[in-house]
Amino acid sequence: MFEHLSKRYHTILLTEAGLFNRARISILLQLLTAFAVLSVFLFILYFFQERNILLYRISLLMVLFFAGLMMLFLNVSWRIVGHYFMFCLTCFIWSNLLILKNGFNIVTVQYVLMIVSGGYYILGLRWGWVYSLINTVPIVVLFSLEQFYGISITLGMVGVNIYAYNISIIFNFLLLIFIHFYFFRAFKRTSKKERKLTANLERSLRSARIVAEEKTNFLSTMAHELRTPLNAVIGITNVLMENDPKPQQKEDLEILHFSAENLMATIDDILSFNRLDLGIEKLELTTFGLDTLLNNVYGALKLKSDAKSIDFFLQVDKEIVGLSVQGDQNRLTQILFNIVGNAIKFTQEGFVKIIVCVEKSVDNVLTVGFEISDSGIGIAGDQVNDLFDPYFRGENGTNRQYYGTGLGLSIASRLVELHGGRLTFKSKEGTGTTFSFQLNFTKVDPMVDELKEEVQIPADEIARLQILVVDDSPVNVMVFQKTLSRWNLKADVAENGQIGLDAVMKKTYDVIFMDINMPVMDGLEASRMIREINDKQKKGIYIIALTASIDISFDKRSEFGCMDDFMLKPFYPKDLEDKLHHVAKLKANRML
């Protein structure tokens, strides 16, 4: 029996997670037990000495206290039992005042103190205040009338049993000491546990930061190590495709180029997710034509839809056509590529449609709605809540024929949130899916005056540029030289930063393409030393960083302040051509 009650008691304690509430339950149980035992002892005393109304009162209270214990062990909420116990003690106090000749005595005061302590410790601030008020007010009133006005209100007619009175005094003092000791011991243990948890949390946070930094460093290193050889693969592929290959060779090169592009997209997705996960991804606002961007995305993905014989539509609001806006065109392109590319991937037949319309225009702020719908496989009901979780496709047990990291929609959702929007969707399995989101853009007036003042560059101006390539990879240098040859350009080459610095001292260049990581002297140190040359023309050379690290940001990191621009590896001929045109314009402006 005792073993069963003990197990039941521990089961009750386990229903509460906190040490503090467990202590409250323990105090309640022990108070009920103590008063039940006391009532049994007093019942025996009155039964053999004084069989009066006090015997019936103690009998009733004995039953009430034992009932409270039973309630606690019969799954009744301990808070309800706490109120029940406070009610029993209140009845005890008021019955003392109503039945006893001298009801206002030290025992009654002890019970009031028991109510005050137990009320606050067991039931908390609000109910502790209520029960304290109910029981202290009559005591204070009786005391005030008797002490200040000499008025004695005697309600009771029965005298107290001296043995019961003395036993109650001793018992109540011990119980009061126990209540405070047990409560504050529990409070001390709770505080100690809280301090321990706080210390463990701080250690965990420090460990998490270290792990996050190590992960970031690893991914940056991985990006550099993977993108560097990919630069050679994609670069050589582009060069070979420009040299009129045979039909069979062209097909092989296109497969090679496609595979390299997919690998590059996977690397970029992982790194983008890492930056978003760390909260270091920032919007970079530029001015661009929204309709031009949409047409470029449509044109780039049209090949994929045509390969699957899917109808692919782009519907753009007339108000957007020819409109220049300010926003992050790279992030918007990434959002659309991920969502639309995903729609094409999971659609075997039917259509994929992009609808873009102006939903609101206030002053210069334009709210544009994007809707991408498809007739693909749809999303199962049990997968809806996991759709934007990272690596969802990789962990999904169905549709394994669809390749991918599963990061696309997670990245798209986070990038939309980075813009201040929210990516939502509607889907029905086997029917299709519709994704939608809204973004705000700032309308920009056409820069007519700037265009008029722009210096017109002769077609052969690029061919007269003096170029220096500082890179320790012979393959990358070969790719760079072969790409430059299409514009009849040839660059001087330096294997490291020190040789590059020596070359600048001997010859004046218009632009330097500077690799970052090199032996002897890296690109950052070489660029700093070039800026310190006591020659205005040499120290002003336009320096473009060649880097395979996708997570660099020249406007945020001071160590890149000595460089003017950057170009990611692998680069595309169009990227290089744009950089050369920009340098040629700067050179022409200086000569005016």
Side-chain angles (χ1 to χ4, degrees), residues 423-489:
L423 180 61
T424 60
F425 68 94
K426 296 177 181 178
S427 183
K428 185 176 181 181
E429 189 173 7
T431 302
T433 306
T434 299
F435 287 90
S436 58
F437 61 95
Q438 295 178 340
L439 298 182
N440 291 329
F441 298 97
T442 302
K443 289 188 289 186
V444 178
D445 294 330
M447 297 175 287
V448 179
D449 293 335
E450 292 186 18
L451 292 174
K452 287 181 180 179
E453 294 176 3
E454 185 177 295
V455 178
Q456 299 299 317
I457 305 300
D460 60 344
E461 186 64 30
I462 292 179
R464 290 197 288 269
L465 290 176
Q466 297 297 315
I467 302 170
L468 173 65
V469 177
V470 185
D471 197 319
D472 63 323
S473 171
V475 176
N476 286 341
V477 171
M478 180 185 68
V479 171
F480 207 94
Q481 293 282 36
K482 286 183 176 292
T483 306
L484 287 175
S485 65
R486 67 174 61 192
W487 303 295
N488 298 320
L489 282 168

Side-chain angles (χ1 to χ4, degrees), residues 406-417:
L407 287 175
L409 290 179
S410 177
I411 291 172
S413 176
R414 297 185 186 205
L415 287 175
V416 170
E417 291 173 0

Side-chain angles (χ1 to χ4, degrees), residues 232-272:
V233 173
I234 294 177
I236 289 296
T237 304
N238 287 329
V239 171
L240 292 175
M241 291 178 69
E242 291 288 333
N243 291 335
D244 295 325
K246 296 177 181 179
Q248 182 60 42
Q249 292 175 327
K250 185 175 181 181
E251 182 180 348
D252 293 340
L253 288 171
E254 286 176 348
I255 294 173
L256 178 62
H257 191 271
F258 176 78
S259 299
E261 289 282 355
N262 278 328
L263 178 57
M264 184 63 63
T266 300
I267 295 170
D268 289 348
D269 275 351
I270 294 172
L271 291 170
S272 292

